[in-house]
Amino acid sequence: METFDTSRPAVAAPAVSPTDTRATDPKAYAQASTIVPIRGIGVRYRSRIARHLLALDEHDRYLRFGYAANDDQIRQYVDGLDFERDQVFGIFNRRLQMIAMAHLAMPADMQKAGVAEFGVSVAKHARGRGYGALLFERAAIHAVNSGVGTLYVHVLSENTAMLKIARNAGAVVERAGSETEGYLRLPEATFKTRLDALLADQVGQVDYWIKSESAKLRNVLATMQEVRAGASDAVHRSGR
């Protein structure tokens, strides 16, 4: 399961100072992906986020939230998403089903310290394609442009896939029993990071529009086929 935990109830993420000496410069901060379009999503996608997370099995929920969240706890998490404060990203397949999502949490106390926390989940059938790493990169670009100096991740130590993503991005990873924390130092925003974000957003919007129009066309064609089949049936019956 590709995931970071970002929203365990009643457990606040530590406010790490952006000058924390444990954080080091990343080998390469985020680069916008033009291969897999990533779309920033808002409040009207809340039901799709819930559908995506509720489809996770018990073990995947454990990796995502740090405990085996039940359906009610997942709905509570989704209902509590603050789309004005935080940023949520999604990857959709051609049928507009959400197959991966990331949550960049920026509560007021963390923003004041220049810190954001990252969490991600990928549908079981869509794993092994690098979606977790791409969402991490996209979230890092947004964090940079929002003035965040340190990207914080909290993940179970058994979640080797996400630990690899964090290390490859240059995060300092510290293990404490069954849990691991990572801190990634982010560079200051530049014209390039803002342009990367703009281009990534546009690619995501266009991709989603194309998929939406394709889905409408498929529905129209399916309806036409049903009408033709019905008409053909009627002709055959009337000729008897």
Side-chain angles (χ1 to χ4, degrees), residues 60-196:
D60 290 342
R61 295 181 184 194
Y62 170 66
L63 293 179
R64 173 62 180 83
F65 297 101
Y67 63 100
N70 60 36
D71 290 357
D72 288 339
Q73 290 168 322
I74 287 178
R75 291 190 183 96
Q76 183 177 9
Y77 160 75
V78 175
D79 289 341
L81 288 173
D82 188 333
F83 293 95
E84 303 226 346
R85 180 198 66 197
D86 301 341
Q87 181 64 49
V88 181
F89 298 100
I91 296 176
F92 298 83
N93 64 15
R94 66 187 183 88
R95 297 186 179 278
L96 300 182
Q97 297 169 331
M98 184 180 294
I99 56 177
M101 66 154 287
H103 178 197
L104 185 66
M106 296 185 287
D109 58 336
M110 294 178 68
Q111 282 189 24
K112 187 175 181 180
V115 179
E117 188 177 6
F118 177 78
V120 66
S121 57
V122 179
K124 192 180 291 292
H125 68 274
R127 293 171 199 162
R129 306 176 192 176
Y131 291 161
L134 291 172
L135 285 165
F136 184 84
E137 293 171 356
R138 182 66 188 86
I141 288 180
H142 182 85
V144 166
N145 292 334
S146 299
V148 172
T150 303
L151 190 58
Y152 167 80
V153 297
H154 188 284
V155 61
L156 296 173
S157 297
E158 65 189 86
N159 200 337
T160 56
M162 283 295 95
L163 291 176
K164 182 178 179 181
I165 289 173
R167 289 192 177 99
N168 286 346
V172 173
V173 177
E174 298 181 352
R175 179 171 179 173
S178 63
E179 299 181 346
T180 300
E181 294 178 350
Y183 304 93
L184 177 65
R185 173 79 68 193
L186 299 175
E188 293 184 1
T190 65
F191 175 76
K192 182 180 184 304
T193 64
R194 293 189 174 97
L195 182 60
D196 283 346

Side-chain angles (χ1 to χ4, degrees), residues 1 52-58 60-61 64 121-123 127:
M1 171 61 191
H52 164 74
L53 293 174
L54 288 169
L56 300 177
D57 62 27
E58 184 176 352
D60 290 342
R61 295 181 184 194
R64 173 62 180 83
S121 57
V122 179
R127 293 171 199 162

